[in-house]
Each structure stands twice: as structure tokens, then as C-alpha cells.
Amino acid sequence: MKKKLIYLIAMLMTAAIMAACGGNSEEIENMSDTEILKVLDIKIHKSPKEPQLYYDRAKVLVRMGRNNEAINDLMKAIQMDDDEFDYYMLLGDAYFANGDIEHSYSTFEKALELDKDNTEAILKLGEISFYGRDYDRAMDHLSKVTAADKDNRTALFMKGFIYKETGDTSNALVLLRKVCDLYPDFEQAFETLGALYAEKNNPMAVEYLNTAIKLEPNNTNALYCLAMYYQEKNEMEQAEELYKRILDINANHQDAWHNRGYIEMFHYGDYDLAIEYLTKAIQINNQFIEAHVNRGCAYELKGDKQNAEICFRTALEIDPTFQPAIEGLKRLGKR
């Protein structure tokens, strides 16, 4: 009797899922990805030669981060129908999410063979080249995108970033400002433009970085860049407040601990607190050579030559040619 009851419940569940399959889009939208997978599993079991079903299931699998399974489904779909553009686009995304750049690129190229003017496919090729730091190829693809869609946010931003990375500051500024003007909620563009101004020691850095932080208060990259800008300007109180904010967000931010230690040592002369902060940075990353050397400097300034020597020698174990550590030992008369 118990077995019959379990079987009956299973049959009822299957019937409910099948009803949802034939239901309206609102019913489907209210289902979880796991429930949708069950629906699609049943459909595929009934119609194993329908490529669209494998594609539909792959979309759900990609959303769930199950990329290997999605790739398997998409390969089956393509074997049944090898001229469906969307199949290749999703397959390229799945490969990219898996870190398989080579297969991702070649898959988007196949998609482009099916629709040679498709800007989405061209943009994907540009993005892959961009992340692979193949900037010449990336720029070629991205320029094709902006020729067809002059205000394409992603293409404009990546072109601006490439100009920044390759030292073409003037073109970088023009494009990144355009992106910020067109898309005032694009946090990454404001962060990148602010960082570029900070590199040039331009006070406009403050405006753009603060906008990025306003858009995303937990953006530790923008916070750190702004803190470094203030530190370089010798405005230590503002810098230290920002480092504190970073550590409230991420207590394991090694550079924030390191820079707080640096400020305590050279600006405030509090060597004990400097040692405490620098030690925290080292505990997070024991290969942090600058932190070892600066902690050695703090001990040296405190008059503790024994611990200073230990710190300098530890740094040289990481890199025997690191000049600040060598100079530290020379000052101590140990080299």
C-alpha cells in the first residue's frame, strides 16, 4: 500500500509539471530553475530529437552555473541543427564562463559565419580579445561594433580602457567621459575615469571616484584609488578614513592595512600601531614583501634593531635582490 501511495504521489507531481509545461508564461516564470529543469527533462524524455528543448535546458543550466552540462546539451542541439545562431551564442557564453577562451572565441566565430553583421557576436569576440589583452584584435572588433552602434556602452568603455592601458590618455579621456555622460549609472566607467585622473594627479579624480562610490558604496577599488590619491596629496586624514571604510567592507584587504601602517609610521610617528597594522597585512599575505620591509623600518625607527633585521632578512628570503631590504640591513650594519 505504501509503495502504491508513493507511486501515486510521483504520478501526480509529474502531471503537475506537465501541466506547467503547457501552461502560460506567467506560470513558467514563477517556477524555480530546478522546477523548470524537471519540466524540460520530461519534455526531452518524450521528444529526444527536438534541439530547441536542449537549448532551453542549456539556458537554465548556464543560469545555474552548470556550464559543462549546458555545453553537452548545446552540442546535442547543434548536432541536430547546426545553423541556429542562438545555439552558438549560448555555447560561446558557456565556454567563456568555464574559462575556455579558445573554444569560446571559435564558437562566436561560427555564430558570426551564420550572421556576419551581427553586432552581438562581434562584441563577444571583442570582449574575449579584450580580456585576453589582445588589444589590437579587440580594437578591431570593437570598432566594428561602434561603427554600427555608435553609443554601444560596452564597446565604448572597452575602447576607452584599451586607450588607457596603451598610454593613449587623450583618447581614453574622450571615450570614458562620453560613456559617463551617456550612462550616468555605469559605475565601472566612473571608476576607470577617476583612476585615470588620479594617475595624472588631476583633482577631477575626486568627482568621478566619488560618483562610482555613490553608485556602489562597497566598491573597494574606487575607495582604494581615492584613498591613494589623498595619500599622494599628503592629505592623510582623508586617506585613513577611506582605508577604514575599506576594512569595514573587507577586513582582509592587505593593501589597506599596509597603507594604514605606512601612514602611522611616517606621518604620525606611532611605530607600535604601524607594526600592528603591517603585521595584519603580513598575516593576510606572508609574501607581501613591502609590508615586511616597512615593518622592519618601523622596528628600526623604534630602536628595535633585532626585529628590524629579522624583517629585512625575511623580505630577502622572498626576493634576494629587493633593494629596500638590502638598504635596511646596510643601515643596521648587517650587510
Side-chain angles (χ1 to χ4, degrees), residues 241 243-251:
E241 283 303 312
Y243 290 134
K244 288 177 184 177
R245 282 182 62 181
I246 291 168
L247 292 168
D248 285 339
I249 298 165
N250 176 14

PDB file of all heavy atoms in Angstrom, residues 241 243-251:
ATOM      1  N   GLU A 241      40.620  57.646   6.625  1.00  0.00           N
ATOM      2  CA  GLU A 241      39.191  57.392   6.755  1.00  0.00           C
ATOM      3  C   GLU A 241      38.710  56.439   5.674  1.00  0.00           C
ATOM      4  O   GLU A 241      37.872  55.557   5.917  1.00  0.00           O
ATOM      5  CB  GLU A 241      38.407  58.703   6.698  1.00  0.00           C
ATOM      6  CG  GLU A 241      38.462  59.521   7.975  1.00  0.00           C
ATOM      7  CD  GLU A 241      37.965  58.743   9.191  1.00  0.00           C
ATOM      8  OE1 GLU A 241      36.879  58.121   9.094  1.00  0.00           O
ATOM      9  OE2 GLU A 241      38.660  58.738  10.222  1.00  0.00           O
ATOM     10  N   TYR A 243      40.606  54.207   4.096  1.00  0.00           N
ATOM     11  CA  TYR A 243      41.140  52.873   4.381  1.00  0.00           C
ATOM     12  C   TYR A 243      40.300  52.179   5.452  1.00  0.00           C
ATOM     13  O   TYR A 243      40.056  50.965   5.382  1.00  0.00           O
ATOM     14  CB  TYR A 243      42.599  52.961   4.826  1.00  0.00           C
ATOM     15  CG  TYR A 243      43.556  53.361   3.730  1.00  0.00           C
ATOM     16  CD1 TYR A 243      44.538  54.337   3.947  1.00  0.00           C
ATOM     17  CD2 TYR A 243      43.491  52.778   2.466  1.00  0.00           C
ATOM     18  CE1 TYR A 243      45.411  54.708   2.941  1.00  0.00           C
ATOM     19  CE2 TYR A 243      44.366  53.153   1.450  1.00  0.00           C
ATOM     20  CZ  TYR A 243      45.321  54.123   1.696  1.00  0.00           C
ATOM     21  OH  TYR A 243      46.177  54.487   0.697  1.00  0.00           O
ATOM     22  N   LYS A 244      39.824  52.930   6.430  1.00  0.00           N
ATOM     23  CA  LYS A 244      38.949  52.347   7.448  1.00  0.00           C
ATOM     24  C   LYS A 244      37.658  51.835   6.827  1.00  0.00           C
ATOM     25  O   LYS A 244      37.162  50.765   7.179  1.00  0.00           O
ATOM     26  CB  LYS A 244      38.639  53.387   8.530  1.00  0.00           C
ATOM     27  CG  LYS A 244      39.806  53.708   9.460  1.00  0.00           C
ATOM     28  CD  LYS A 244      39.411  54.791  10.447  1.00  0.00           C
ATOM     29  CE  LYS A 244      40.584  55.205  11.335  1.00  0.00           C
ATOM     30  NZ  LYS A 244      40.207  56.315  12.256  1.00  0.00           N
ATOM     31  N   ARG A 245      37.099  52.615   5.899  1.00  0.00           N
ATOM     32  CA  ARG A 245      35.871  52.186   5.215  1.00  0.00           C
ATOM     33  C   ARG A 245      36.106  50.891   4.443  1.00  0.00           C
ATOM     34  O   ARG A 245      35.269  49.995   4.433  1.00  0.00           O
ATOM     35  CB  ARG A 245      35.380  53.280   4.261  1.00  0.00           C
ATOM     36  CG  ARG A 245      34.673  54.426   4.934  1.00  0.00           C
ATOM     37  CD  ARG A 245      34.170  55.447   3.926  1.00  0.00           C
ATOM     38  NE  ARG A 245      33.187  54.888   2.995  1.00  0.00           N
ATOM     39  CZ  ARG A 245      32.626  55.579   2.016  1.00  0.00           C
ATOM     40  NH1 ARG A 245      32.971  56.861   1.814  1.00  0.00           N
ATOM     41  NH2 ARG A 245      31.738  55.015   1.214  1.00  0.00           N
ATOM     42  N   ILE A 246      37.256  50.815   3.796  1.00  0.00           N
ATOM     43  CA  ILE A 246      37.586  49.600   3.029  1.00  0.00           C
ATOM     44  C   ILE A 246      37.631  48.395   3.960  1.00  0.00           C
ATOM     45  O   ILE A 246      37.079  47.328   3.653  1.00  0.00           O
ATOM     46  CB  ILE A 246      38.935  49.769   2.304  1.00  0.00           C
ATOM     47  CG1 ILE A 246      38.810  50.808   1.193  1.00  0.00           C
ATOM     48  CG2 ILE A 246      39.423  48.438   1.732  1.00  0.00           C
ATOM     49  CD1 ILE A 246      40.134  51.250   0.611  1.00  0.00           C
ATOM     50  N   LEU A 247      38.268  48.571   5.111  1.00  0.00           N
ATOM     51  CA  LEU A 247      38.424  47.454   6.047  1.00  0.00           C
ATOM     52  C   LEU A 247      37.110  47.085   6.717  1.00  0.00           C
ATOM     53  O   LEU A 247      36.928  45.942   7.140  1.00  0.00           O
ATOM     54  CB  LEU A 247      39.503  47.789   7.079  1.00  0.00           C
ATOM     55  CG  LEU A 247      40.912  47.861   6.484  1.00  0.00           C
ATOM     56  CD1 LEU A 247      41.889  48.488   7.467  1.00  0.00           C
ATOM     57  CD2 LEU A 247      41.390  46.465   6.066  1.00  0.00           C
ATOM     58  N   ASP A 248      36.185  48.027   6.801  1.00  0.00           N
ATOM     59  CA  ASP A 248      34.845  47.692   7.291  1.00  0.00           C
ATOM     60  C   ASP A 248      34.128  46.784   6.295  1.00  0.00           C
ATOM     61  O   ASP A 248      33.320  45.936   6.680  1.00  0.00           O
ATOM     62  CB  ASP A 248      34.013  48.965   7.506  1.00  0.00           C
ATOM     63  CG  ASP A 248      34.432  49.736   8.756  1.00  0.00           C
ATOM     64  OD1 ASP A 248      35.052  49.128   9.649  1.00  0.00           O
ATOM     65  OD2 ASP A 248      34.139  50.944   8.826  1.00  0.00           O
ATOM     66  N   ILE A 249      34.428  46.976   5.017  1.00  0.00           N
ATOM     67  CA  ILE A 249      33.824  46.158   3.963  1.00  0.00           C
ATOM     68  C   ILE A 249      34.563  44.835   3.829  1.00  0.00           C
ATOM     69  O   ILE A 249      33.957  43.769   3.695  1.00  0.00           O
ATOM     70  CB  ILE A 249      33.846  46.922   2.619  1.00  0.00           C
ATOM     71  CG1 ILE A 249      33.014  48.196   2.725  1.00  0.00           C
ATOM     72  CG2 ILE A 249      33.343  46.041   1.475  1.00  0.00           C
ATOM     73  CD1 ILE A 249      33.254  49.181   1.591  1.00  0.00           C
ATOM     74  N   ASN A 250      35.891  44.912   3.865  1.00  0.00           N
ATOM     75  CA  ASN A 250      36.730  43.721   3.678  1.00  0.00           C
ATOM     76  C   ASN A 250      37.894  43.779   4.653  1.00  0.00           C
ATOM     77  O   ASN A 250      38.890  44.463   4.403  1.00  0.00           O
ATOM     78  CB  ASN A 250      37.240  43.648   2.232  1.00  0.00           C
ATOM     79  CG  ASN A 250      38.196  42.481   2.016  1.00  0.00           C
ATOM     80  OD1 ASN A 250      38.285  41.576   2.853  1.00  0.00           O
ATOM     81  ND2 ASN A 250      38.914  42.487   0.909  1.00  0.00           N
ATOM     82  N   ALA A 251      37.767  43.063   5.744  1.00  0.00           N
ATOM     83  CA  ALA A 251      38.793  43.091   6.791  1.00  0.00           C
ATOM     84  C   ALA A 251      40.102  42.461   6.344  1.00  0.00           C
ATOM     85  O   ALA A 251      41.124  42.597   7.024  1.00  0.00           O
ATOM     86  CB  ALA A 251      38.283  42.374   8.044  1.00  0.00           C
TER      87      ALA A 251
END
